[in-house]
Every structure is written in structure tokens, then in C-alpha cells.
Amino acid sequence: MRDLLTARALGALTPAEETALAPHLVSCERCAAEAERLRETVRLLDGPPGAAMDDDTPPESGGTLALALRTRPAAPRVAEHAAPYAAAVAGLQALLEELEGDGPWHTPVVHDWDVHDTVGHLLAADEPLARHLGIAPRVPPSCVAGDAPWEEAWNARTAAVLAHERRRPPRETVAAWAAQAGDVLAAPEAADPARAADVTSLMGLPLPLADHFVVRGFETWIHTDDIGRALGLAVPPPPDPHLWQMVRLAVRILGAALGPDAPPVLFAVSGGDRDAQWVLGAENEPVRGELVLDSVDFCLLVGGRYAPDEVPRVTTGDRTAVGGVLDTAASLAWL
């Protein structure tokens, strides 16, 4: 967060970083006060933030602000479909920058992974999208049969990447993951909705490429939350616009998984400043039950972080029909 606060004071945040930081400033008085202190410091040093120099302007002709703006790398500008991934990447980078020494990296997080392994997993998980965009793998390719089912190929590649990364210092793994994520966000498909409209199958999911960017944002946030919980650090949920992109995509995938013959259930999701509802299952039959979930809880259920019988919910009607929706939503998790 310190890096983001400094960049904000300099007027150098990308829109995705600004969106990721805003909820934290609302809930953290300490950071909000620090943000105002930094802005006042910038004002006293250089005047109003944002007066960056042209590339041809000599560094000595500006003040501290101008120098900082010139040395901070420009982040890629992305379209709406890639914004959740960009914000999630910025959030995880900010969280990992807080880690000092070797201890935190070996903290157990999820499955049998520690913090280092979890970042290595994300390096592997982002790779199919990166490869589709023409980006070379950051880890040497492993031998997997060309006709292997996607689950087998995915598990083998994940194991190979983790084995490779465990031989490297955690900071090198973070650098490789961040560089790959930066390449993905710099790809033309991240900024052009038309180029991201083609349906392609990645990791068993045939979706428009734009949706695969949302999937990457979803998983990056889920694992950032995993790391935060393991370390006792609060990780805010995605900003509402990004969260609802994830919700709508998850509902579409859930509806397809249930199929048109499932007992119809009125499914409602609420959270932030909006609510939405869908009928899942058979369209021409009376609704048999109703299910209401919070938007964050729904995403955590789909992400495998809640058991179907543990997620906070409001239900009415046919318990079997509602239970089928909850069980199917939980079965979608493969993170």
C-alpha cells in the first residue's frame, strides 16, 4: 500500500490502481491520513500533482514530482473486460511488497502451498492466457502428451512450474509472475474489446477471450485473499464494478453447469449498491425455491472457499432444488 499511496500523491496511479486503492482508504484511517500527508508534501515540493514533463525535458528542469513521474514505469491502459485482472494484479503486488524477510514466504496458505507456492501457482495459472496471446512462458516448457485431457495437462504443468519456482528465491518468482501479468495486460486484446470477443477454450472453459481476463482477475483476487488471511492482513474485496463482472460470469457458468432440466430456482445476489436475480434451471416450470447470497460470499463459494452448507444464505422453498444450486456452484472450483 505504501507504494500505491506514494504514486497516488504524485498523480501517477493507473485507473485500475486507483480503483483498487479507494476501498482501502475508506476503511483505513492510518493510510488515509498518510495519503493526505503525502499529497501535501508533493504540493509543497512541486505544486499541484500531475504536471509531468515531456520525455525531451531535462530532469533538472523539474522538481521532485517531475523526477518521480519520469522514473515510474507507465502501466498499460486496459478495457473494461481486463480491468478486474489489472486491479487484482496491482493489489497482490502491493500486498507482496509488504513482506519482509524469509518468514512470511513459508506461511501455509491453501492446499499444501505456502505464500511462495501460491505466487508460483498464479504464474502457472496465467500461462494459458499468456500463451494464447503469443507470450512466451516464463518457465521452461514441460513434457505433456499432446492428447492429454486438459485437467491432466494442467496438473502436470502446475507441478512443473512449482518445482521450478521452489528452486528460486520468492522475489524472483514474484518478478516472473508480475512480468508475465504485465505482458498479458499490455497485449492488444486487453485494450480492444473487439479483439477479445472471439471464443476460445482455455483450461476447459470455452469463453470469449474477454471473459478469460475476468477469470484471471477472479483467481488472482481469491489467492490474494488467501495470502492475506494466512498472514493476518485484511484484503478488501474487488471494487463493485469488478466484483459484479465476476458475479455475472460466474452465474452464466453456473447456469450452464446446471443445465436446462434442473429444478428451477430463483437465484438472487446482493452487495454493494446493486442487486440482481436470475432463474436457474428449467425455464418453463414454476420456481421451486429461492436462494439469496451476498456477492462476495457467492464468489468465495464458486472459488472453493466455502462449503455449500456453510456459505451464509437465505433460502425458501424446495431444499433439494436449492441445495443442487449450492452444490453445483461449489463444484465449479478448481483453483
Side-chain angles (χ1 to χ4, degrees):
M1 284 297 174
R2 284 194 295 268
D3 287 347
L4 292 180
L5 291 176
T6 303
R8 180 175 181 270
L10 298 171
L13 284 183
T14 67
E17 289 172 329
E18 187 76 57
T19 302
L21 180 61
H24 181 74
L25 292 180
V26 171
S27 61
C28 180
E29 293 183 5
R30 178 182 173 186
C31 284
E34 178 69 1
E36 289 307 310
R37 186 188 70 79
L38 288 170
R39 278 193 161 176
E40 178 63 13
T41 301
V42 168
R43 187 189 69 77
L44 293 172
L45 286 170
D46 293 278
M53 297 184 296
D54 296 333
D55 289 340
D56 297 330
T57 306
E60 60 271 17
S61 66
T64 305
L65 170 63
L67 286 170
L69 288 172
R70 287 171 63 83
T71 57
R72 178 173 167 82
R77 303 287 174 165
V78 298
E80 181 181 2
H81 64 269
Y85 179 54
V89 167
L92 180 53
Q93 286 179 304
L95 176 63
L96 295 176
E97 284 297 323
E98 296 294 314
L99 305 189
E100 299 177 356
D102 295 331
W105 295 102
H106 301 296
T107 302
V109 175
V110 66
H111 308 314
D112 59 346
W113 303 333
D114 59 15
V115 175
H116 185 188
D117 291 336
T118 304
V119 179
H121 164 71
L122 285 173
L123 177 63
D126 287 346
E127 192 177 273
L129 176 57
R131 189 185 303 114
H132 181 81
L133 297 174
I135 299 166
R138 296 279 165 173
V139 176
S142 48
C143 295
V144 179
D147 57 351
W150 80 264
E151 296 97 332
E152 181 181 327
W154 160 243
N155 289 332
R157 181 56 179 162
T158 301
V161 171
L162 287 178
H164 181 273
E165 295 307 311
R166 285 166 180 161
R167 297 193 295 268
R168 301 209 288 179
R171 288 294 178 189
E172 291 187 13
T173 300
V174 173
W177 163 76
Q180 180 176 257
D183 288 344
V184 169
L185 291 168
E189 291 81 357
D192 185 350
R195 297 185 66 146
D198 292 340
V199 174
T200 187
S201 184
L202 297 177
M203 300 168 73
L205 287 174
L207 294 169
L209 195 57
D211 287 339
H212 287 293
F213 277 94
V214 178
V215 171
R216 301 310 326 130
F218 180 93
E219 183 171 4
T220 304
W221 161 58
I222 288 286
H223 285 311
T224 302
D225 188 68
D226 289 338
I227 293 172
R229 290 175 187 271
L231 297 175
L233 300 173
V235 173
D240 273 356
H242 300 172
L243 183 63
W244 279 92
Q245 283 177 260
M246 298 174 189
V247 166
R248 289 191 293 269
L249 176 58
V251 170
R252 281 170 40 210
I253 296 173
L254 174 58
L258 285 166
D261 298 324
V265 171
L266 181 65
F267 178 50
V269 178
S270 62
D273 58 356
R274 66 189 77 184
D275 303 282
Q277 61 183 29
W278 302 263
V279 174
L280 301 177
E283 297 180 353
N284 299 320
E285 298 180 22
V287 169
R288 297 192 192 176
E290 298 182 10
L291 170 64
V292 181
L293 294 177
D294 173 77
S295 53
V296 173
D297 290 338
F298 173 54
C299 288
L300 292 174
L301 173 67
V302 172
R305 299 313 185 258
Y306 269 124
D309 58 346
E310 294 176 349
V311 63
R313 62 199 181 276
V314 176
T315 65
T316 58
D318 189 329
R319 292 185 178 180
T320 301
V322 171
V325 173
L326 291 169
D327 289 341
T328 303
S331 74
L332 300 177
W334 47 268
L335 308 183

